[in-house]
Amino acid sequence: MMSNLTVRVAHIPEELMEIEKIRRVVFQEGQGVEQDLDFDGLDEICDQLIAHLNGECVGTARIRYLDDQTAKIERLAVLEMARGQGIGQKITKEALEVIASKNIPEVVINAQEYVKGLYQKLGFQQEGEVFEEAGIRHVKMRKSLIG
């Protein structure tokens, strides 16, 4: 049931531990990503989104502002038990709203190849070839928030 899902900008630093816990489970334990690659020291300067389902923290993503024209959605993660309910899509939509509210016209994402369709549904378009990042196949995608 999606009725008890909330997605909002997290309070940092208070909620950073919850966010790190999700990323540890999804990326490091689930996908074998090196801890140093995931926790790159940039979390404090990014907007972090947090998703709660029935009061439990189940998903996250971060928004990194590359410059005043471009934001990048990164580290989108949803715990396995909460997948398949549109939570990743809801987090991404919320991220797009946050970015739009700052008048930033363009969003990029390095999507893991297998979830590319999620972003295409939200208007992202693939750019270039598949590449490897942390041993996982990714595609670069871009969306304009203008027009």
Side-chain angles (χ1 to χ4, degrees):
M1 275 303 279
M2 292 290 286
S3 56
N4 297 318
L5 177 71
T6 59
V7 179
R8 60 171 171 76
V9 175
H11 303 293
I12 303 296
E14 304 85 349
E15 293 180 310
L16 198 54
M17 273 180 61
E18 288 275 24
I19 287 167
E20 287 178 351
K21 195 168 84 183
I22 290 173
R23 283 173 29 194
R24 216 181 326 275
V25 169
V26 172
F27 296 131
Q28 292 161 40
E29 295 167 21
Q31 298 183 329
V33 173
E34 294 286 325
Q35 182 173 335
D36 297 354
L37 282 178
D38 185 12
F39 301 126
D40 54 10
L42 300 174
D43 283 326
E44 285 74 13
I45 62 159
C46 295
D47 280 339
Q48 303 277 350
L49 294 176
I50 194 163
H52 289 94
L53 185 63
N54 303 324
E56 203 179 331
C57 194
V58 296
T60 183
R62 80 177 185 189
I63 304 167
R64 186 157 58 93
Y65 300 97
L66 304 182
D67 52 44
D68 59 5
Q69 295 296 305
T70 315
K72 186 174 183 192
I73 301 172
E74 306 177 308
R75 310 291 195 271
L76 176 69
V78 176
L79 292 177
E80 200 167 350
M81 57 83 161
R83 288 183 197 154
Q85 303 180 60
I87 295 173
Q89 192 166 16
K90 188 109 162 56
I91 292 171
T92 305
K93 281 181 178 168
E94 183 67 25
L96 292 170
E97 283 178 29
V98 170
I99 293 163
S101 75
K102 297 180 190 271
N103 296 316
I104 292 178
E106 214 159 47
V107 185
V108 293
I109 192 160
N110 287 346
Q112 291 189 10
E113 191 182 25
Y114 79 99
V115 290
K116 175 172 91 170
L118 162 93
Y119 300 111
Q120 285 172 326
K121 278 187 201 134
L122 295 172
F124 283 84
Q125 291 177 332
Q126 181 173 337
E127 279 187 355
E129 299 300 309
V130 172
F131 62 94
E132 284 218 353
E133 194 170 66
I136 299 164
R137 290 167 63 85
H138 283 73
V139 290
K140 183 172 185 172
M141 303 187 83
R142 183 179 301 270
K143 177 182 170 82
S144 172
L145 298 181
I146 296 175

